[in-house]
Amino acid sequence: MSNTAPSPGPAGVTAADLTIGYSSLTDRVRTIEVPTSAKAAEVLILTQRRPGAPDAVVPRALEERASVVALDSLGVAKSRNAAISMAGRTYLLFGDDDVAIYLKGVLDAARHLERTGAALALGCAVDDSRRTRGRRSARAQRLTLRNSGRAATYLMLIDVEQVRSSGVRFDERFGAGMPNYLGDEYIFIADLLRAGLRCDAVPFVVGMHPSHSSGALWSIGRDLPARAAAIERAWGSRAMIPKAAIAAKNWGKIRNVRAAAAFVFRRHFTDAS
């Protein structure tokens, strides 16, 4: 009998292959809870301070567990890009300070990446009542511009080397902290797809997030222009078609002919902005 151990297959992926990159404002760092089951994972906490806010107060247990890096910037996309640059493990999960991470689902998603060669896996989440947020398919499926518009960053697990090699990063003109505060996740997926990388939605629950999220924002004055700008950035010159489809599908939330027309026909974003 040979004493040589077999090479580990996809099931050999462990927490030691994982970086969890939390993005947090300084006044919310203390709410971060790293799962105890992820002791072998690398943990990064990337903090940003709003004007007038205090510096981060990091609980000792969290400081001993994680690398805490204060960024001299605002905008969650900048924080996500810092996580991509700093991650030291094979896979990177983007965490938020209000998300509870379910390690089993994250590792199942990582095994999917290893098995398929995909660059990004978009998992599922439950809300604070343990109900599934959004739709959850029974099996993995390819992401496209048409089915990834409701992606959330805290559901994203990436193959770090593939993403780094592609040169794709989050568009720092979008996301929380920027005037165009919606759609940074959608644009990131769109850019990965344009770079020829495979992105999949997977049926694994990777975390719990409270019911409220920016994806539910539909106010006429601020949310519609920000949403339109993200669609235009993702789709380019073809954006009018998906904007019209989205306006029709969500008419019950808009209920204003003039605002719907402006959403569809007005140009809300240019690359020079």
Side-chain angles (χ1 to χ4, degrees):
M1 179 182 295
S2 170
N3 291 324
T4 303
S7 300
V13 176
T14 70
D17 300 302
L18 178 67
T19 297
I20 305 173
Y22 289 95
S23 295
S24 179
L25 295 169
T26 53
D27 51 338
R28 292 183 56 86
V29 170
R30 66 178 66 223
T31 66
I32 293 174
E33 295 185 11
V34 180
T36 57
S37 55
K39 291 181 179 179
E42 175 187 49
V43 179
L44 304 174
I45 298 177
L46 307 169
T47 70
Q48 295 175 310
R49 187 170 67 85
R50 290 180 289 195
D55 291 334
V57 177
V58 185
R60 177 171 295 180
L62 189 58
E63 190 173 34
E64 292 173 350
R65 175 69 185 87
S67 296
V68 182
V69 180
L71 301 178
D72 185 19
S73 64
L74 283 175
V76 71
K78 293 183 176 69
S79 179
R80 307 299 193 194
N81 287 339
I84 294 172
S85 297
M86 296 174 62
R89 305 291 174 84
T90 304
Y91 305 107
L92 169 62
L93 179 74
F94 297 104
D96 282 336
D97 50 41
D98 58 352
V99 172
I101 292 170
Y102 292 177
L103 185 65
K104 181 183 182 301
V106 175
L107 293 180
D108 286 339
R111 290 162 188 149
H112 174 88
L113 292 182
E114 184 179 69
R115 184 174 64 253
T116 63
L120 179 145
L122 181 69
C124 305
V126 294
D127 64 18
D128 31 16
S129 298
R130 298 301 189 271
R131 292 174 296 192
T132 301
R133 290 174 57 94
R135 295 180 181 177
R136 181 182 178 186
S137 61
R139 62 185 64 186
Q141 58 180 328
R142 298 287 184 96
L143 288 174
T144 69
L145 283 177
R146 292 179 174 84
N147 67 5
S148 54
R150 302 183 73 177
T153 323
Y154 63 85
L155 302 178
M156 291 180 178
L157 180 76
I158 64 168
D159 181 310
V160 174
E161 185 53 39
Q162 284 197 63
V163 172
R164 282 179 181 163
S165 296
S166 73
V168 172
R169 298 295 184 271
F170 284 87
D171 190 327
E172 296 180 355
R173 298 168 294 185
F174 290 83
M178 293 290 106
N180 292 318
Y181 50 90
L182 298 172
D184 50 308
E185 313 95 328
Y186 182 42
I187 293 166
F188 183 66
I189 292 174
D191 288 349
L192 289 176
L193 294 173
R194 267 190 289 271
L197 298 183
R198 174 174 169 176
C199 302
D200 290 349
V202 296
F204 311 120
V205 176
V206 300
M208 185 277 289
H209 189 273
S211 299
H212 177 76
S213 73
S214 59
L217 300 176
W218 285 91
S219 73
I220 290 173
R222 296 184 69 235
D223 303 330
L224 282 182
R227 195 175 296 278
I231 297 167
E232 290 163 14
R233 168 60 177 80
W235 282 80
S237 61
R238 301 176 294 159
M240 190 177 297
I241 296 172
K243 285 195 296 179
I246 289 168
K249 182 177 180 180
N250 294 279
W251 173 248
K253 300 173 184 176
I254 302 172
R255 301 185 67 83
N256 184 299
V257 173
R258 185 172 297 177
F263 175 79
V264 175
F265 296 107
R266 184 179 300 165
R267 185 71 176 168
H268 297 265
F269 173 78
T270 64
D271 285 335
S273 66

